[in-house]
Amino acid sequence: MIVPTVGKTLLSITVIFFSIFLALILFAPSFPFFQYPVNSSLSDRPEIWSLRRIVEWRPCNWWLQGHPAALSAKSNGYIRVDCYGGLNQMRRDLCDGVGVARLLNATLVLPKFEVAAYWNESSEFGDIFDVDYFIQQMSGFIKVVKELPAEIASKEPFHVDCSKRKGLYDYVESVLPSLLEHHYISITPAMSQRRDRYPLHAKAAFCQACYNAMRLTSTLEKKASELLKAIPKPFLSLHLRFEPDMVAYSQCEYSNLSPASMQAIDAARGDRKAWTGEQARIWRNRGKCPLTPNETAIILQALSIPIDTNIYLAAGDGLMELEGLTSVYTNVFTKSTLHSVEDFANMHGNTKAALDYYVSISSGSYVATYFGNMDKMVAAMRAFKGLPNTLFLSRRGFAVLTSQGLKGKALLEALWRVHRDDFVMGVGSALPDCFCEFKL
């Protein structure tokens, strides 16, 4: 009969074809993960931003609907928030300080931004943010004054250092007595302060200060707006952290870096030595090691972000190994390339950070290789503005997958799955202090 013969022939052809296909997969040449060339146009994975989210974070109604409690007619005294570090760390300290001042029924004095040579910085709060707008927006949440009453204006505030306290630090028990005694105190809020037990009126003041009251000065906003216009559209804002001090602080060891980068890292290490052996592997697999620009490029390709994407690099000075990114993604723009040499040279650290922040909360998409103060602020503000395309690259995921020996296409597929799940579930999109989870 003819039918069985044809069936056997088709079966034989199928077996031969499958065997050849399997051999091509098994014996195809592999590449080290740090050299794997990927053409995103050949990928069958959809671009990460095309996925439908299951969870989104939006500003909570209890905050947006008004003031949860009326201000007391009598204040317990004046509090000045002393802020240290880079712009976004100082901004975080100020937000916390506003919440504390409202908790203690205090009047807020304009904050002090600490002059820091390390950050190439000399600007004050009013040099970066619109003071009148801040006072206006905080009306009803907390009273803010530019100047102190004459009877205490000549005195320095009594300083209460809360900066090293963690967890459930009780400001009412520990700080209120000093406020009532001295009437004018300065504080640096506790790190990692939990706000879940704040009364709503204190949390609302914190949220309002962070996300609805700090607007750049007109001069700085004009500069930021001009920078935004100069970036080709659409674009992705990438906050990339791979500076010598950052790597040194992480205590991570890297191979395949240039001699210049290794020298810069060694100079920044001081007494902080890198982990070695099994400790280094455990440390890296916990996600403690900053992603290199090349590792960042690999993950972006795994997410099917086209290699011709316009990328604004929101990064500080001294970024190392940048060619690892720009050799793959060639349309990369920075503040220094979009500003005149003279204009860029005259910028202080806070000005540069403010420009990066402004651009990042206005971009079509935002990707961060770390989860620092700027990233948390930007992600939350993007959630506030209804911009969902925000993603934090998984240092832990990359480390674990590569330590398992994954490379080439297998690595890219695994990286896709890790970040797909994070994006769909809205992981890292906003912190829960002021934002509520919405199932879509």
Side-chain angles (χ1 to χ4, degrees):
M1 293 178 65
I2 296 176
V3 174
T5 302
V6 172
K8 289 180 180 179
T9 302
L10 289 174
L11 179 62
S12 299
I13 292 172
T14 302
V15 170
I16 292 170
F17 177 80
F18 181 75
S19 300
I20 293 171
F21 178 73
L22 185 62
L24 287 172
I25 294 175
L26 293 176
F27 299 107
S30 61
F31 298 86
F33 72 87
F34 50 83
Q35 294 178 338
Y36 188 78
V38 180
N39 185 336
S40 61
S41 64
L42 300 179
S43 172
D44 57 359
R45 298 179 300 274
E47 187 176 3
I48 191 74
W49 312 125
S50 68
L51 301 181
R52 179 181 176 274
R53 272 192 157 165
I54 297 175
V55 174
E56 280 193 7
W57 292 84
R58 299 172 187 169
C60 299
N61 289 332
W62 58 258
W63 159 40
L64 294 180
Q65 286 176 348
H67 317 129
L71 292 173
S72 173
K74 184 178 180 182
S75 168
N76 285 330
Y78 296 86
I79 289 181
R80 186 186 75 193
V81 185
D82 292 351
C83 307
Y84 299 87
L87 177 63
N88 292 292
Q89 181 179 333
M90 292 194 289
R91 182 174 180 151
R92 180 206 67 189
D93 285 347
L94 175 56
C95 295
D96 283 328
V98 169
V100 172
R102 183 66 178 95
L103 178 69
L104 302 182
N105 186 34
T107 299
L108 188 71
V109 181
L110 287 179
K112 178 183 178 183
F113 277 16
E114 185 65 22
V115 176
Y118 176 82
W119 297 97
N120 183 28
E121 194 48 60
S122 60
S123 51
E124 284 289 346
F125 177 78
D127 298 323
I128 302 294
F129 297 108
D130 185 330
V131 171
D132 291 331
Y133 183 80
F134 180 76
I135 294 173
Q136 173 191 334
Q137 291 299 106
M138 295 309 300
S139 176
F141 290 89
I142 190 171
K143 185 178 180 182
V144 184
V145 296
K146 292 182 182 179
E147 298 178 355
L148 291 163
E151 62 270 20
I152 60 174
S154 60
K155 299 191 302 182
E156 281 297 309
F158 178 81
H159 185 63
V160 182
D161 188 5
C162 319
S163 60
K164 302 302 181 185
R165 306 300 184 97
K166 296 182 180 181
L168 292 176
Y169 181 60
D170 193 329
Y171 285 100
V172 174
E173 180 180 313
S174 304
V175 179
L176 182 58
S178 296
L179 177 64
L180 294 173
E181 178 183 354
H182 299 280
H183 306 296
Y184 177 32
I185 66 172
S186 65
I187 64 168
T188 300
M191 295 184 297
S192 305
Q193 173 62 31
R194 286 181 59 181
R195 308 178 195 93
D196 55 339
R197 298 186 183 182
Y198 276 16
L200 279 186
H201 61 268
K203 287 180 68 174
F206 165 87
C207 298
Q208 180 73 358
C210 259
Y211 307 115
N212 217 15
M214 280 190 261
R215 183 176 72 183
L216 298 180
T217 64
S218 57
T219 301
L220 196 50
E221 187 161 1
K222 181 175 181 293
K223 188 185 293 288
S225 179
E226 291 171 351
L227 174 61
L228 182 61
K229 288 178 183 177
I231 304 170
K233 311 296 187 301
F235 73 96
L236 177 153
S237 180
L238 174 64
H239 189 211
L240 180 58
R241 298 296 312 273
F242 201 70
E243 305 90 348
D245 61 312
M246 176 98 176
V247 176
Y249 184 80
S250 73
Q251 295 184 273
C252 296
E253 208 164 33
Y254 292 83
S255 58
N256 304 310
L257 299 185
S258 69
S261 295
M262 295 300 295
Q263 186 176 359
I265 294 168
D266 289 339
R269 281 202 195 279
D271 296 331
R272 189 182 290 272
K273 302 302 180 185
W275 295 109
T276 58
E278 181 63 11
Q279 286 180 315
R281 186 192 68 80
I282 294 172
W283 189 248
R284 182 172 291 276
N285 284 355
R286 289 177 61 194
K288 298 296 185 179
C289 298
L291 292 168
T292 69
N294 182 243
E295 292 168 345
T296 301
I298 291 169
I299 300 177
L300 292 180
Q301 290 176 95
L303 303 181
S304 295
I305 293 176
I307 59 175
D308 61 352
T309 297
N310 295 315
I311 295 179
Y312 173 78
L313 196 61
D317 301 331
L319 196 62
M320 303 182 297
E321 304 290 315
L322 187 55
E323 62 278 2
L325 173 70
T326 56
S327 62
V328 180
Y329 289 86
T330 54
N331 298 334
V332 176
F333 303 89
T334 65
K335 295 180 292 297
S336 59
T337 59
L338 296 170
H339 280 93
S340 68
V341 175
E342 181 181 1
D343 191 23
F344 184 74
N346 291 329
M347 287 184 191
H348 288 293
N350 278 352
T351 301
K352 294 176 183 177
L355 295 179
D356 283 343
Y357 175 84
Y358 183 93
V359 169
S360 295
I361 65 170
S362 307
S363 60
S365 49
Y366 178 75
V367 173
T369 63
Y370 206 65
F371 194 53
N373 292 311
M374 173 174 167
D375 306 309
K376 294 170 186 176
M377 287 286 187
V378 167
M381 184 56 76
R382 289 178 63 83
F384 180 74
K385 296 177 67 175
L387 299 173
N389 291 355
T390 302
L391 186 65
F392 295 92
L393 302 189
S394 175
R395 290 165 290 153
R396 181 179 180 274
F398 188 89
V400 170
L401 293 171
T402 53
S403 71
Q404 292 172 351
L406 292 185
K407 53 190 175 184
K409 185 175 181 179
L411 174 63
L412 298 180
E413 292 291 348
L415 286 170
W416 161 258
R417 289 192 295 271
V418 168
H419 291 87
R420 173 200 62 192
D421 295 344
D422 282 354
F423 179 71
V424 167
M425 296 305 297
V427 174
S429 295
L431 300 180
D433 295 309
C434 307
F435 294 82
C436 294
E437 184 180 282
F438 284 82
K439 299 285 176 61
L440 301 179

